[in-house]
Amino acid sequence: MDSSQLLKGVLDTAVLAVLENEDGYGYDIVRRLRESGIDEIGDATVYGTLRRLYAGGLLRTYVVPSEDGPHRKYYAINDEGLRVLNGQRKTWVTFAETMSRLLGVAATDSNKGKSK
Amino acid sequence: MTKNKADNISKFVSEVMRALEGRDSVTIAELTENLEADLRERQEEEGDAFQLGDSKVFAAELLQGAGLSGGINTASRLQRFVSEILWNIWSAISAIRPAWWVFRGLMAYSAIWFILLKQSKSVPGSPVEWLAFLGLMFASVQIGRANLKQWWARLPLAALNVLALLVGMFWVNDIVNVRNDYSRLKSFSESNLLIYQGQPVTFAFAYDKNGVPLPMTSLKTAGGNLMFAQPTEDALSPALEALKGKSLTEANWALAKMNVTASETLYESVPAEPKDRVLRVQKVSDGNGGWVVVLIVAN
């Protein structure tokens, strides 16, 4: 199964979850996603997702001045973003339980088939 | 990082932006903001393993991630030109937004003052007024910085902005009126005009106790300073001639400066001439030994 396609479906949730813990700038968020195991999504997709979530009113931004380089635009989750994230969290738990149950049955059947 | 690698990243970002051309400039700026810094950071972390990849694929992924339909770089040259102009206008407006937030706070103070006390006021006096003034200004700036996205927050904010704009128009109008009044008073005070209730006196006649007009050529203060004098006819003639062709307002103003106190205006229908243009100037007797300047003006 192509996990990158699965990830695209839940990338919004993953980005919101990363930002729930701590604000971050573009590449910082990409890095934290990769550290958490999501490494099959391109940088550009994450940057686009950030822009979309911001346009959708789920994130706010602020600029942090930098002496070494250009000022960094930081993203932070807002109340609306938290509300959406909590909703998605519940959906994910239900979905994951359903799929695990289903796949667990399927895996057993498959094993049974092989043992015949 | 070597200069060559840094140049490659700059070039890559330029290519991505070029691939995004056709999108409005705000979108391009939002999608590529800090991109160069991010790529440099990644380059430093990954070292030689870092690959920039295809700028067009990167641009397409940006658009897809942002949920923007359509491909890359499909706009015509004209669309890109218009988009660039709009972006420049938007940038200029964005740059002065903080000034607007402060102005909006000032307008809120003026509006509240007017609503509560029916008085026009823009500069606080007492400490309490200053507190209210600074509080409103702070609130306005904070609201501006919050960059609200939700429609239910933006709608009342838009209404407040329109209100502030309207109050601002009255406010600016007040300032202009005060400046005009000040200029007029200054001009009066520097001229030799006799002023009564803020207006230049253009006619002045003296009467005895029986109501008979007294011959008069000048008015002086108790200290002997000349306030007002009838000009001599000889000195007046060339100046009156010069009034021809002027507008009525200009001519009246010039007469006032010449201390000509007796003037009348007659209108004559001359379609070829602009309205209120002085066509001729005449001096006629007033029947009391003096004379009146008559301006014949196009109607």
Side-chain angles (χ1 to χ4, degrees):
Chain A
M1 182 184 293
D2 184 2
S3 59
S4 65
Q5 290 302 316
L6 282 176
L7 280 171
K8 279 179 184 172
V10 293
L11 187 58
D12 290 12
T13 311
V15 169
L16 290 173
V18 163
L19 287 172
E20 186 187 25
N21 300 326
E22 191 182 350
D23 302 350
Y25 56 89
Y27 180 59
D28 176 47
I29 295 163
V30 172
R31 184 167 42 209
R32 279 152 60 188
L33 283 169
R34 293 202 171 128
E35 283 169 1
S36 65
I38 300 175
D39 52 5
E40 292 180 33
I41 293 290
D43 299 14
T45 305
V46 177
Y47 297 147
T49 301
L50 284 168
R51 193 259 184 197
R52 182 164 45 78
L53 293 175
Y54 172 72
L58 306 185
L59 304 179
R60 62 182 174 83
T61 62
Y62 56 91
V63 174
V64 175
S66 166
E67 290 180 2
D68 301 331
H71 297 344
R72 289 289 198 175
K73 182 176 174 180
Y74 272 69
Y75 291 89
I77 192 166
N78 60 19
D79 291 343
E80 180 66 9
L82 282 172
R83 192 187 64 75
V84 169
L85 176 61
N86 286 330
Q88 289 175 345
R89 194 173 269 134
K90 286 173 189 167
T91 306
W92 172 259
V93 170
T94 309
F95 177 76
E97 282 173 358
T98 305
M99 284 303 293
S100 297
R101 202 162 48 240
L102 181 64
L103 291 174
V105 170
T108 307
D109 285 347
S110 172
N111 289 338
K112 281 178 183 172
K114 283 178 185 174
S115 63
K116 280 179 184 176
Chain B
M1 187 189 300
T2 64
K3 187 177 181 304
N4 192 29
K5 286 177 180 173
D7 288 346
N8 283 344
I9 288 174
S10 297
K11 189 180 165 196
F12 179 81
V13 173
S14 299
E15 285 172 359
V16 170
M17 292 175 84
R18 207 160 30 247
L20 291 171
E21 278 181 1
R23 299 282 161 183
D24 67 90
S25 303
V26 178
T27 303
I28 295 175
E30 283 180 356
L31 286 171
T32 56
E33 192 176 7
N34 283 154
L35 177 58
E36 190 164 337
D38 282 356
L39 291 174
R40 286 184 201 286
E41 192 175 339
R42 198 175 152 199
Q43 160 82 60
E44 281 173 13
E45 276 187 10
E46 296 182 10
D48 291 337
F50 175 69
Q51 296 291 326
L52 281 167
D54 187 331
S55 57
K56 286 184 179 171
V57 172
F58 192 95
E61 278 184 17
L62 275 176
L63 292 174
Q64 194 181 14
L68 299 170
S69 58
I72 52 174
N73 197 12
T74 54
S76 68
R77 189 180 288 268
L78 178 65
Q79 283 174 315
R80 274 179 271 166
F81 177 70
V82 172
S83 176
E84 196 59 36
I85 288 175
L86 291 176
W87 166 243
N88 285 329
I89 292 171
W90 174 246
S91 298
I93 291 171
S94 295
I96 60 168
R97 281 175 73 209
W100 164 252
W101 300 337
V102 171
F103 183 75
R104 185 173 59 188
L106 176 64
M107 290 306 99
Y109 175 79
S110 292
I112 289 172
W113 190 273
F114 184 77
I115 291 165
L116 293 181
L117 300 173
K118 306 289 182 203
Q119 286 178 11
S120 176
K121 184 162 188 173
S122 55
V123 180
S126 68
V128 175
E129 288 169 25
W130 269 107
L131 202 64
F133 176 75
L134 293 174
L136 284 166
M137 207 160 279
F138 179 74
S140 175
V141 170
Q142 286 302 101
I143 290 169
R145 289 182 64 205
N147 198 13
L148 301 170
K149 290 286 176 188
Q150 298 86 352
W151 68 268
W152 46 264
R154 292 183 72 90
L155 210 60
L157 188 60
L160 280 175
N161 280 338
V162 171
L163 197 64
L165 203 62
L166 290 174
V167 175
M169 285 164 69
F170 285 112
W171 191 73
V172 170
N173 188 47
D174 275 356
I175 289 176
V176 170
N177 283 342
V178 168
R179 279 180 64 90
N180 286 344
D181 288 348
Y182 175 76
S183 303
R184 229 173 56 168
L185 286 173
K186 189 164 180 258
S187 160
F188 285 166
S189 68
E190 288 172 354
S191 72
N192 294 323
L193 298 178
L194 183 62
I195 307 297
Y196 179 71
Q197 291 186 339
Q199 297 297 322
V201 176
T202 53
F203 288 89
F205 297 104
Y207 297 88
D208 67 11
K209 62 181 179 181
N210 298 319
V212 177
L214 295 171
M216 185 194 74
T217 55
S218 64
L219 279 176
K220 291 185 178 178
T221 63
N225 294 323
L226 183 67
M227 294 169 63
F228 177 77
Q230 300 279 16
T232 63
E233 193 171 339
D234 291 342
L236 197 62
S237 295
L240 289 180
E241 279 296 311
L243 298 181
K244 284 184 193 173
K246 289 182 183 294
S247 70
L248 181 59
T249 309
E250 289 171 336
N252 276 331
W253 189 247
L255 286 174
K257 281 193 168 177
M258 284 187 265
N259 286 335
V260 173
T261 56
S263 70
E264 285 184 11
T265 306
L266 295 177
Y267 288 94
E268 191 174 303
S269 180
V270 183
E273 291 288 341
K275 196 180 172 190
D276 284 344
R277 170 73 56 83
V278 176
L279 303 171
R280 296 188 302 283
V281 183
Q282 293 176 353
K283 285 198 296 186
V284 295
S285 170
D286 65 356
N288 291 314
W291 40 266
V292 175
V293 174
V294 179
L295 301 173
I296 293 99
V297 177
N299 189 6

